[in-house]
Amino acid sequence: MNFNTKSPWILHYDGTSCNGCDIEVLACLTPLYDVERFGVINTGNPRHADILLITGSVNDQSIPVVKQLYEQMADPKVVVAVGICATSGGLFTDCYNVVGGVDKVLPVDVYVPGCAARPQAIIDGVVKALAILDEKQNAMKK
Amino acid sequence: MMLAIQIILIVVLTPLVGGLLAGFDRIISARVQGRKGPPLLQPFYDVLKLLQKENIQVNKTYKFYVYVSLLFIILTAVIMLIGGDILLAIFVLTLGAIFFVFGGYASQSPYSIIGAERELLQMMAYEPMVLITAAGLYMVSKTFFIGEIIARDVPAIVYLPAVFIGFVYILTFKLRKSPFDLSLGHHAHQELVQGISTEYSGTELAVIEITHWYETIISLVFVYIFFVTSNPISHVFAIIACIVVYLFEIILDNSTVRVKWQLALKSAWIVTGVLSIMNLMILSFFKF
Ligand code: SF4
């Protein structure tokens, strides 16, 4: 039996988001959506996290940070890209400083589109990520 | 033989009760904030998940300390619950806390070192009061053995009301609750990352969590001692007192913000010092 689906701890990193998606991520923790029902904790520490939630596209400045955060997380771990910026670069794709979506740097497991992504969509994305987390845990056991 | 069974029961049941209490705590906290909150067994899910995670090691020694810390905390729980010497229990408890601080220093992350320093400050703030509690209980019952302290006709709370209030004051440090969750609170994660536990992941983080469950129960046993007498009914009152104190701490946790260390240290010393010295003086004046 895998318990990681019952207690996913989330690390939220803001790539170059406009803060729209960040506010929606935080909205998930408020009484209306209350993701703690599913055991979700918003940790500030990559060592404790299971899910890396990234909002906003990545640029040359944030690439090393994102990579380091990912490397510091313990296996099994998944990456969720929240918002259209994080999935492809969105509106800002053509900016001279924007490299693109998070998948240019990390293996993204779940894409949550939307500008800004709605809290319902983010929770859906996290639940999808849990299934992948479960698979990864099974793969680790073998 | 009886003793062996008793010890095994204590070692197994204490964390179970502590974990349930932690789950209860999270539900109540959520309700206070107008949320539904996690299931009651959430702390156990967390720990079981952590046990399944990959083991990351940042250096050779830092993991060792949390296991030693857990060992001493278990020893404290055993000493207290079989009615042993309260002074010995306090010293072993302190030793466990010290090893935890060592763990913070040994992991060498800037965050865990700040956490360790704050933990030392907290210990400075609460440790005198713990000793005064033992001294007060000794003045009342002329013994340091918990088994004999609780076998009297009048509960200790009657003689030591102010000492009890002082002890509840520092309980906030021990239970890592706001406003005194300076070193490793669940709410401090943005400024401190996770204090001492920053570099710990997987199994060791689970051990830290279990240690905290033991510590919660140990803290409540102190409350328990204040209320128990030789009368069996008093155990019910003592348990109710423990629940009331714990509920009070949860509500306090949700209605206050973390204070600076200066205020935490000064207020702890002043409040506990004034209360307990007054109480012990009056006690020595009238009773002995
Ligand atoms: S997807 Fe929209 S709301 Fe989200 S970070 Fe990008 S621009 Fe902002």
Side-chain angles (χ1 to χ4, degrees), chain A residues 1-4 6-7 9 29 31 34 36-37 39 41-42 44-45 47-50 72 74-76 137, chain B residues 26 33-39 42 46 48-49 52-54 56 58 189 193-194 197-201 205:
Chain A
M1 170 121 185
N2 294 339
F3 290 94
N4 46 18
K6 289 200 181 255
S7 119
W9 292 0
L29 298 167
D34 187 24
E36 211 199 348
R37 280 180 296 154
I41 290 182
N42 182 17
N45 184 356
R47 292 254 188 259
H48 298 181
D50 306 293
Q72 284 181 337
D75 275 328
Q137 177 90 62
Chain B
R26 281 178 69 174
Q33 295 164 9
R35 297 185 287 116
K36 186 167 176 296
Q42 188 61 44
D46 290 348
L48 289 168
K49 172 202 77 175
Q52 290 175 336
K53 295 273 290 185
E54 177 199 13
I56 296 179
V58 296
H189 55 68
V193 185
Q194 273 290 317
S197 65
T198 301
E199 290 295 340
Y200 291 98
S201 58
L205 193 59

